[in-house]
Amino acid sequence: MTLVQPAPSASRPHASAADVRQALAVLGGVDLQRIGRIAKMRSAPVPGLDWEDLLHEAFARILGGKRRWPREVPLVAFFAQVMRSIASDHLRGVIEAPLMSDVGPAGADVAWERVADDAPLPGSALAARQVLTAIYNYFAKDEAVLAFISGIQCGETALETAVRTGLDRQAYDAARKRFDRGIQRFVCEGKVI
């Protein structure tokens, strides 16, 4: 069953709590399966994050009003955005930014000297480094995607990455799309435990 969006209104750009509850009540099996698959895909590369926990946290944030549903965004897409944000926050808590900057195409043989002090589980930082190294190796032949990844790790904007690497807007967007598709294949191929 395809979900009907609440009508956008200039005075109420976000759905009310009642609109959210009603939309969730009529959410069809296909849409629920999509949301479950998105949760599995988003949690797979994040050490210590179970897909069911990610899904429950997304439901809690949406129902609790912590994340407000913009009326013009389809509900499944909104769930995907919320879960991506939660997974990203979780990963940031597991890995320190300086630690990530040490990973590179030849990162498999880098000697790791620091581990995040706030890592929730003792093996999480190591697992995250292994995943990042595997991702770099997966994209090793695509210099534009590697430039895109390094820009993200450095906290650069798209423009800053483009200026630093010489990519134009079209090449940057193409690299981002190849990265997104590649990460989906990476997860589907079982490269992430």
Side-chain angles (χ1 to χ4, degrees):
M1 171 181 204
T2 304
L3 180 66
V4 176
Q5 294 299 113
S9 113
S11 63
R12 291 185 38 210
H14 293 90
S16 68
D19 290 337
V20 172
R21 285 191 300 275
Q22 180 183 8
L24 289 173
V26 298
L27 200 60
V30 172
D31 289 330
L32 289 172
Q33 288 175 349
R34 278 189 198 127
I35 291 171
R37 283 194 306 269
I38 293 167
K40 289 176 184 176
M41 183 187 77
R42 289 289 177 207
S43 65
V46 183
L49 182 61
D50 181 69
W51 74 271
E52 290 172 326
D53 292 339
L54 175 60
L55 184 61
H56 292 157
E57 180 63 23
F59 269 102
R61 289 185 186 191
I62 292 169
L63 288 171
K66 187 172 182 181
R67 292 295 304 264
R68 296 180 62 206
W69 177 25
R71 293 175 174 274
E72 72 276 359
V73 177
L75 184 58
V76 173
F78 181 60
F79 262 96
Q81 293 169 358
V82 172
M83 288 188 285
R84 181 175 70 181
S85 175
I86 294 168
S88 177
D89 289 346
H90 187 82
L91 186 59
R92 262 193 296 277
V94 173
I95 304 172
E96 290 180 347
L99 185 70
M100 291 173 65
S101 67
D102 291 340
V103 178
D109 40 342
V110 172
W112 301 102
E113 298 176 0
R114 296 177 49 197
V115 175
D117 294 334
D118 60 349
L121 300 172
S124 294
L126 176 61
R129 286 192 302 271
Q130 290 170 341
V131 169
L132 289 171
T133 300
I135 289 171
Y136 263 102
N137 291 337
Y138 190 78
F139 292 106
K141 295 180 182 176
D142 192 332
E143 292 296 322
V145 171
L146 292 176
F148 170 79
I149 295 169
S150 72
I152 291 172
Q153 289 179 312
C154 295
E156 295 176 339
T157 65
L159 180 60
E160 291 169 336
T161 300
V163 168
R164 180 179 54 82
T165 61
L167 294 173
D168 62 16
R169 178 65 186 209
Q170 187 175 6
Y172 180 88
D173 287 343
R176 180 185 50 79
K177 288 175 185 174
R178 286 195 309 278
F179 174 77
D180 289 344
R181 287 189 305 267
I183 284 296
Q184 289 178 8
R185 282 191 308 273
F186 181 81
V187 171
C188 290
E189 290 172 5
K191 305 286 185 187
V192 179
I193 298 173

